[in-house]
Amino acid sequence: MEFNLIITGVGGQGGLTLSRIVGNAAMHEGYNVRIGETLGMSQRYGSVLSYLRFGEEVYSPLIGEGEADLMLAFEPAEALRNARFLSKKSVAIINAYPIHTATTLVGKERYPELEEIKKAIGKICPVHMANFQEEADKINPRTLGVLMLGYAFGKGLIPLKKESIYEGIKGTLPGKLWETNFRAFERGIELAGR
């Protein structure tokens, strides 16, 4: 078994934290885990990309083009930017909540329509797109990643046990944040079942 996960978004959305939660959950099940990160200006809404791989024998954190099993994209344009990691064996879960850059705000670049992004990625692999941020905001805006993880889990796309993911949350976040994140994870599972 080998599982390749791409988490992409912009700085401040919690992508790096989520990769640690999933990594800790996978280690809880005895898998080898490798995490790699490429950071733009992560504090300033720059691109953030986390590679997470786990399985019986995983030696490198890098995921080759077309090798991702799952992409969790916290920001739609970032999903497009990293589409090269997707293939027909992949699934992309995209948060339909655009975060505009300075260049799109001043009109130097055009931000693609959400439908265009969905269609482009849909040519490569199945896409689930929803405004997960809106749902996370009802609990706590910082739970976006865990809520999307819950959604992926609810769709059967995460090959880990629920209790391992709970352990991953406990092993990554301070105790005062556990309950909020458990709620977000369960809410994601609910959304997946709609």
Side-chain angles (χ1 to χ4, degrees):
M1 203 287 289
E2 186 183 292
F3 188 75
N4 295 326
L5 170 65
I6 291 278
I7 300 171
T8 183
V10 297
Q13 285 189 299
L16 307 183
T17 303
L18 186 66
S19 63
R20 292 189 178 97
I21 289 172
V22 178
N24 283 331
M27 282 193 288
H28 184 74
E29 293 194 17
Y31 290 118
N32 279 326
V33 176
R34 296 289 176 265
I35 296 175
E37 295 157 356
T38 53
L39 305 175
M41 292 287 289
S42 58
Q43 298 303 309
R44 299 260 176 260
Y45 301 114
S47 298
V48 178
L49 175 64
S50 288
Y51 308 85
L52 186 137
R53 304 181 66 217
F54 63 84
E56 272 85 39
E57 293 184 23
V58 177
Y59 300 108
S60 157
L62 296 182
I63 295 173
E65 296 194 359
E67 293 295 309
D69 294 296
L70 177 64
M71 172 192 275
L72 294 176
F74 297 174
E75 204 285 332
E78 292 301 319
L80 209 50
R81 190 190 311 269
N82 292 292
R84 67 187 180 281
F85 294 107
L86 302 170
S87 67
K88 60 180 185 295
K89 73 164 187 148
S90 315
V91 176
I93 297 177
I94 303 172
N95 178 27
Y97 183 82
I99 294 176
H100 290 271
T101 59
T103 49
T104 59
L105 287 172
V106 297
K108 276 207 162 94
E109 288 178 351
R110 186 182 77 83
Y111 193 97
E113 296 295 325
L114 290 175
E115 244 347 277
E116 286 176 76
I117 293 172
K118 188 175 180 181
K119 201 176 277 179
I121 292 176
K123 287 180 180 157
I124 307 168
C125 70
V127 177
H128 300 259
M129 188 188 253
N131 190 337
F132 293 105
Q133 186 66 60
E134 197 173 63
E135 287 297 328
D137 287 349
K138 293 172 189 170
I139 300 165
N140 178 324
R142 300 188 70 83
T143 61
L144 171 67
V146 172
L147 185 130
M148 289 180 70
L149 181 66
Y151 181 88
F153 180 86
K155 289 288 183 195
L157 300 170
I158 303 277
L160 294 170
K161 297 180 186 82
K162 185 191 274 194
E163 40 294 4
S164 304
I165 293 172
Y166 271 55
E167 288 303 319
I169 290 169
K170 287 181 186 172
T172 310
L173 300 171
K176 63 178 192 287
L177 300 177
W178 293 355
E179 281 310 315
T180 312
N181 281 277
F182 296 158
R183 271 195 14 241
F185 184 71
E186 293 295 340
R187 180 65 187 132
I189 294 173
E190 274 175 31
L191 292 170
R194 270 193 187 163

